[in-house]
Amino acid sequence: MSDAPLKGLKVIEMARILAGPWAGQTLSDLGAEVIKLESPRGDDTRKWGPPFVERDEDVSASYYHSTNRGKASVVVDFATPEGQARVRELVADADVVIENFKVGGLEKYGLDYASLAQVNPRLVYCSITGFGQDGPYAHRAGYDFIIQGMSGLMSITGEPDGQPQKTGVAITDIFTGVYAVTGILAALRMRDRTGRGQQVDMALLDVAVAVTANQALNYLTTGQAPERMGNAHMNLTPYEVFDCADGHIIIATGNDAQYQRLCRLLDLADMAEAPEYLENKDRIANRRVMIARLNGATATRTMNDLLAACEAQGVPAGPINTLDRVMADPQVIARGMQISLDGVPGIRAPFRFSDADLALTRPAPKLGEDTDRY
């Protein structure tokens, strides 16, 4: 068995809820030693249930287990001099600190970046907040739902005649956790060259604005804000959910040839070469009529029949799975995405290496499980 890529990296996590712990869990999966410092009452998400995971005498919410795998749990009371001294002792030989307190929240304990950098000048200190370390909103608490609204993400999600919609998971928290890992690894690489650590300032709003991606460029290019289009794609068509006789499937054509093959398998050969649908720009201009005809044809076919026909003809299509179907999907099974650690279920981090392994050794820790070990 190969080593995990980040074996030997020591991370102190002073974070709770989701974005910070997600970054910590990702580093842990990659082989880092992650020591989660918890208050005597523990991470709030331990109680965010039901459902709960019962392990020996510990009962913690599934939510907590989804984002704290592989870590050690050490109880520390930051408000006491003893607790503050304990943190400084742990940080003295650490590589990384992850924290998600409000701006200035750790300064009164002497646990902010400026203070801990004096203890360990090589420290990479990642601060995760809603709005960053500066700017007019820096003092505000950040919540994923609110950030989804402020960032524009909800303005482009949902049906045109319905309410703006958030995503089904806390996507700005998750993205911030992933971007935080990227920033941490970049700072560590820079430390290899300079010998110095630094602070990495991650803000949920920055991340959420960044991942508006092509929709942001649609606006910046035209000066016109994109609107909600339900399951349709602003820049491509046909690329949406279609009705079937027994449900719905996704058809996502990415070029003219795929569109033409779709028309032919639906017995709509006249549409394949029609000038009003010949290129994507033409299909965008005549989207409403085109989709109505295509949907009329898909509605006469069963989901399995149409998916098989699309597969056979090289037309990108897929089902809309519930999570029970996801876990039973042969591709998900083949890739080993569902795991179990000491009887606690989980989802594997999506990294596959040719010469390294993930460090999937233990489930999320019980509160204070490792206090005596450190």
Side-chain angles (χ1 to χ4, degrees):
M1 178 179 289
S2 301
D3 282 340
L6 299 182
K7 182 179 179 181
L9 195 74
K10 181 177 178 181
V11 179
I12 306 300
E13 180 189 299
M14 300 191 291
R16 61 267 191 235
I17 313 298
L18 185 50
W22 194 266
Q25 178 173 270
T26 304
L27 292 170
S28 174
D29 285 346
L30 291 169
E33 176 188 20
V34 179
I35 304 168
K36 183 180 182 71
L37 305 186
E38 299 190 71
S39 72
R41 70 173 182 277
D43 189 312
D44 291 346
T45 60
R46 287 182 178 274
K47 299 179 180 179
W48 283 17
F52 293 95
V53 172
E54 297 187 21
R55 188 166 58 100
D56 300 329
E57 297 180 358
D58 179 73
V59 179
S60 293
S62 298
Y63 193 118
Y64 167 78
H65 280 274
S66 75
T67 190
N68 287 288
R69 174 177 59 239
K71 303 172 187 177
S73 172
V74 173
V75 170
V76 178
D77 187 349
F78 296 167
T80 67
E82 295 80 12
Q84 295 156 19
R86 188 79 183 94
V87 175
R88 286 191 285 272
E89 180 183 352
L90 289 167
V91 166
D93 64 346
D95 297 286
V96 177
V97 162
I98 302 170
E99 63 91 6
N100 63 353
F101 284 72
K102 290 182 180 179
V103 173
L106 289 174
E107 186 175 357
K108 61 186 176 182
Y109 303 129
L111 302 178
D112 56 312
Y113 171 64
S115 299
L116 292 184
Q118 294 179 25
V119 175
N120 181 354
R122 291 174 54 83
L123 186 67
V124 171
Y125 186 105
C126 181
S127 297
I128 298 175
T129 57
F131 301 96
Q133 298 296 303
D134 53 23
Y137 302 159
H139 65 284
R140 295 185 185 179
Y143 296 92
D144 171 88
F145 193 2
I146 293 171
I147 299 295
Q148 286 196 43
M150 293 181 68
S151 65
L153 287 172
M154 287 178 62
S155 75
I156 53 175
T157 306
E159 293 297 329
D161 57 353
Q163 285 189 339
Q165 289 289 308
K166 67 177 180 65
T167 59
V169 296
I171 192 169
T172 73
D173 274 325
I174 297 294
F175 263 119
T176 301
V178 174
Y179 269 102
V181 170
T182 306
I184 287 166
L185 296 179
L188 288 169
R189 181 66 184 92
M190 187 171 179
R191 189 185 72 176
D192 291 342
R193 300 197 314 270
T194 67
R196 300 188 307 274
Q198 62 182 296
Q199 185 175 23
V200 180
D201 174 8
M202 298 300 307
L204 269 66
L205 183 60
D206 293 354
V207 170
V209 171
V211 301
T212 56
N214 61 296
Q215 293 281 33
L217 266 292
N218 288 336
Y219 165 69
L220 294 174
T221 303
T222 66
Q224 184 172 355
E227 298 179 350
R228 298 190 303 283
M229 297 183 64
N231 289 312
H233 193 296
M234 170 166 280
N235 302 110
L236 278 177
T237 190
Y239 197 101
E240 57 188 84
V241 173
F242 286 86
D243 297 333
C244 292
D246 56 349
H248 306 86
I249 69 168
I250 297 166
I251 298 175
T253 65
N255 56 49
D256 299 337
Q258 291 173 355
Y259 161 74
Q260 291 163 2
R261 292 196 294 271
L262 174 64
C263 290
R264 295 186 179 108
L265 73 85
L266 291 175
D267 297 323
L268 297 172
D270 64 298
M271 293 180 63
E273 305 292 342
E276 61 267 38
Y277 310 128
L278 197 58
E279 296 183 1
N280 185 64
K281 62 181 176 60
D282 305 314
R283 295 193 291 276
I284 292 285
N286 297 287
R287 183 199 301 261
R288 185 179 62 81
V289 174
M290 178 194 67
I291 293 298
R293 287 199 65 190
L294 292 174
N295 202 56
T298 64
T300 67
R301 310 277 287 270
T302 65
M303 292 187 292
N304 288 339
D305 170 58
L306 187 51
L307 285 169
C310 287
E311 176 75 17
Q313 297 300 317
V315 175
I320 302 172
N321 287 331
T322 52
L323 279 169
D324 56 330
R325 292 180 177 177
V326 172
M327 299 308 166
D329 187 284
Q331 182 66 21
V332 175
I333 293 172
R335 297 289 287 179
M337 289 303 297
Q338 184 174 345
I339 61 175
S340 179
L341 300 172
D342 291 344
V344 179
I347 302 298
R348 180 180 61 78
F351 305 104
R352 297 286 287 268
F353 300 98
S354 65
D355 193 29
D357 294 310
L358 294 180
L360 302 175
T361 58
R362 61 184 289 189
K366 303 171 187 175
L367 178 61
E369 182 175 350
D370 305 280
T371 300
D372 293 339
R373 189 156 66 92
Y374 291 93

